[in-house]
Amino acid sequence: PYRCTAKLPTKREVRFDIADLSMNGVGLRSKDQSLGEGLQIGTVLTGATLDFRKEGTVTSDLMVTFLRSSQSTSNTVYHIGCRFLNLPRAKERDLQRLITYLELARRDGKN
């Protein structure tokens, strides 16, 4: 999976798996049990870097807009929805190209 690293308001760096991407924001997942204590709707994750490997990176602050946890057999999985904050116009174009590329790659992988 693609990864995202960001800093919590406490300045602690956290890592997420990227589950979904759109022009409005990103869906993240984590099994980091310490997130249950400090993460809530409205939290700003600063300096978030979304790493799409050879396709490039996108850096932006993210605001948590959705938060849900689910229990698997051994772990709690956190599902976090975030919207981009202060994403420059030039990065919006890059993001649109990246979304198009990922969608085409996903479709090609299913055929």
Side-chain angles (χ1 to χ4, degrees), residues 8 35-44 63-67 80:
L8 295 170
L35 288 177
E37 302 152 7
L39 197 61
Q40 52 190 261
I41 292 176
T43 300
V44 174
M63 179 182 283
V64 176
T65 57
F66 173 82
L67 183 59
I80 302 114

Side-chain angles (χ1 to χ4, degrees), residues 38-53:
L39 197 61
Q40 52 190 261
I41 292 176
T43 300
V44 174
L45 305 174
T46 57
T49 300
L50 286 67
D51 185 358
F52 296 96
R53 295 188 291 272

Side-chain angles (χ1 to χ4, degrees), residues 76-110:
T76 300
V77 178
Y78 294 95
H79 305 269
I80 302 114
C82 301
R83 72 176 167 98
F84 295 110
L85 296 176
N86 307 320
L87 189 66
R89 290 273 183 221
K91 285 295 181 182
E92 285 181 11
R93 288 188 297 274
D94 293 343
L95 183 61
Q96 183 60 53
R97 280 189 222 111
L98 179 61
I99 290 168
T100 301
Y101 172 83
L102 293 172
E103 181 63 22
L104 290 172
R106 184 186 67 81
R107 287 182 190 171
D108 287 346
K110 287 188 175 183

Side-chain angles (χ1 to χ4, degrees), residues 6-88:
K7 289 191 178 174
L8 295 170
T10 61
K11 305 298 182 206
R12 182 173 74 93
E13 187 171 280
V14 289
R15 300 177 135 225
F16 304 96
D17 291 336
I18 298 172
D20 190 30
L21 180 67
S22 74
M23 287 302 295
N24 295 323
V26 62
L28 305 171
R29 289 195 184 123
S30 177
K31 293 181 181 178
D32 182 344
Q33 299 305 299
S34 67
L35 288 177
E37 302 152 7
L39 197 61
Q40 52 190 261
I41 292 176
T43 300
V44 174
L45 305 174
T46 57
T49 300
L50 286 67
D51 185 358
F52 296 96
R53 295 188 291 272
K54 66 181 180 182
E55 289 81 26
T57 61
V58 174
T59 302
S60 174
D61 291 343
L62 301 172
M63 179 182 283
V64 176
T65 57
F66 173 82
L67 183 59
R68 180 176 59 91
S69 62
S70 61
Q71 191 72 31
S72 68
T73 55
S74 61
N75 289 326
T76 300
V77 178
Y78 294 95
H79 305 269
I80 302 114
C82 301
R83 72 176 167 98
F84 295 110
L85 296 176
N86 307 320
L87 189 66

